[in-house]
Amino acid sequence: MNDAHLDSGLDEVVRRYLDELATSLKALPAPRREQLVREINDHIAQLRSERPPRDLAELEEILNRVGLPEDIASAALEFEEIPSLSPGRRRARRVRVVISASAAFLLFALAAVLAQVFGAFDSPGANPGHQVAEITMPNLIGQTQPAVGSEMALLGLKDTIRTATSSSVRMGLVIVTSPGAGSNVKKGSTISVTVSAGLPS
Amino acid sequence: MVPGRAPQLAQMRKGALEYCVLALLKDGERYGFELVRDLSAAELVTSEGTIYPLLSRLRQDGSVETTWRESTQGPPRRYYKLTSTGKASLDSFASEWRQFCRAVNGILESGGVK
């Protein structure tokens, strides 16, 4: 896995961590929530720039230092005088957060490696002779390319990226997918993802 | 890095934390990230992220005030400074805390106050 793939994989793990944090902070008024998420984001960025993580384990060390989203959320909610989660639920979530972040990263890394190594081959379905599962395409419009890559990997889909100029969608974000959101697709099939190359010249 | 097991100790650590933040600002303003690093290095907190809600509360209750400064690397940084209210509450905590520590230490070490 090269540096670009590693960095976008790590960015994705951080994005999920921050999403998790924002979800834990739902009870907080929106401006306070956004401010805290921004502060934590800056803190992680600062830690990452001081000693850039070379793999997922090193990034997890950083995130461990920053703390579990629920712990940060209970500290924030305590000051708001809103009851926080019970200890039992927190333990269960602790495990889930770690598992989902690691799983997302591994799938993403695997997809990146497979795409590079086996790019030329169209591998046959994983379960020949068995019924292939159908997946409903999520709405990926407006997401970043790495986010879409990991989402596809999670769903068991492949993607081919095309670019097109756009005056309404920012560079690097998805303009459209084919098949589109809501369509049923077979697991393992290839989705065409069109990413904005910015304004037409 | 292992925090005290006793829940009472966790409560005391939490209670003392905000005064430690104020004390770190005694000699002048500091960048938020540095404050968090210092508290973490002193093993007062295990989850660095939990300090940000505390900083936000200290801003709200007027113990600290903040200024945004441009940074040569990365986004603008928020600097924290002690206000006179913050200074007064730090001073009163510090004197009560010392008295409290003396009393507790006296009993822990000799089984009676000297």
Side-chain angles (χ1 to χ4, degrees):
Chain A
M1 197 157 53
N2 61 29
D3 282 357
H5 273 117
L6 173 67
D7 281 343
S8 53
L10 297 182
D11 286 347
E12 177 61 14
V13 172
V14 172
R15 195 182 66 85
R16 276 166 196 268
Y17 173 90
L18 293 172
D19 282 351
E20 192 78 42
L21 177 64
T23 309
S24 311
L25 290 171
K26 259 202 300 240
L28 217 60
R32 299 280 302 282
R33 179 174 63 231
E34 284 155 17
Q35 180 194 295
L36 181 54
V37 171
R38 207 163 41 237
E39 283 175 322
I40 300 295
N41 180 36
D42 289 352
H43 191 80
I44 295 171
Q46 185 80 247
L47 289 172
R48 277 180 76 179
S49 74
E50 285 188 353
R51 205 187 303 163
R54 285 162 302 180
D55 53 28
L56 176 64
E58 290 187 357
L59 179 68
E60 278 187 344
E61 263 172 51
I62 289 179
L63 295 181
N64 278 337
R65 273 183 68 164
V66 180
L68 293 166
E70 308 87 86
D71 286 344
I72 299 171
S74 359
L77 296 177
E78 196 177 313
F79 297 138
E80 296 287 319
E81 288 170 1
I82 296 165
S84 58
L85 298 176
S86 70
R89 251 194 87 192
R90 287 188 42 229
R91 206 162 305 117
R93 288 188 46 79
R94 174 184 302 240
V95 175
R96 272 216 324 272
V97 172
V98 171
I99 291 176
S100 71
S102 313
F105 180 85
L106 283 176
L107 283 170
F108 182 83
L110 193 65
V113 170
L114 285 178
Q116 278 191 330
V117 177
F118 296 110
F121 303 97
D122 229 359
S123 57
N127 294 323
H130 286 75
Q131 192 101 40
V132 181
E134 286 222 325
I135 295 157
T136 306
M137 269 298 289
N139 185 3
L140 300 172
I141 292 169
Q143 294 208 35
T144 62
Q145 195 177 321
V148 168
S150 80
E151 180 88 33
M152 295 292 224
L154 283 171
L155 291 170
L157 297 171
K158 293 174 214 153
D159 53 51
T160 60
I161 306 290
R162 294 159 212 276
T163 55
T165 57
S166 167
S167 45
S168 58
V169 179
R170 256 195 304 139
M171 189 159 77
L173 303 184
V174 173
I175 304 172
V176 71
T177 63
S178 172
S183 318
N184 284 333
V185 291
K186 289 206 160 55
K187 195 165 184 163
S189 54
T190 301
I191 308 300
S192 154
V193 177
T194 308
V195 174
S196 172
L199 292 170
S201 49
Chain B
M1 270 304 275
V2 179
R5 297 261 163 85
Q8 295 91 332
L9 265 182
Q11 284 304 321
M12 288 173 62
R13 187 178 279 110
K14 206 155 36 170
L17 189 61
E18 70 174 273
Y19 297 99
C20 292
V21 171
L22 299 182
L24 286 174
L25 296 172
K26 225 168 32 178
D27 298 325
E29 62 171 19
R30 304 278 303 274
Y31 167 37
F33 179 78
E34 289 171 2
L35 281 177
V36 177
R37 285 304 279 281
D38 285 1
L39 293 165
S40 172
E43 300 189 5
L44 277 163
V45 281
T46 46
S47 301
E48 296 183 355
T50 59
I51 302 175
Y52 288 97
L54 171 63
L55 291 175
S56 150
R57 209 207 56 201
L58 292 173
R59 289 198 296 272
Q60 276 170 38
D61 72 17
S63 302
V64 298
E65 55 192 21
T66 65
T67 326
W68 286 95
R69 300 254 153 85
E70 290 299 326
S71 153
T72 48
Q73 46 198 18
R77 298 173 165 189
R78 201 204 277 268
Y79 279 78
Y80 289 78
K81 194 177 144 196
L82 202 57
T83 62
S84 53
T85 319
K87 175 86 172 65
S89 86
L90 171 63
D91 289 345
S92 97
F93 172 81
S95 80
E96 282 173 43
W97 174 260
R98 285 192 193 102
Q99 203 182 332
F100 172 69
C101 281
R102 264 199 305 276
V104 173
N105 286 339
I107 293 188
L108 284 180
E109 283 154 25
S110 66
V113 184
K114 291 197 171 153

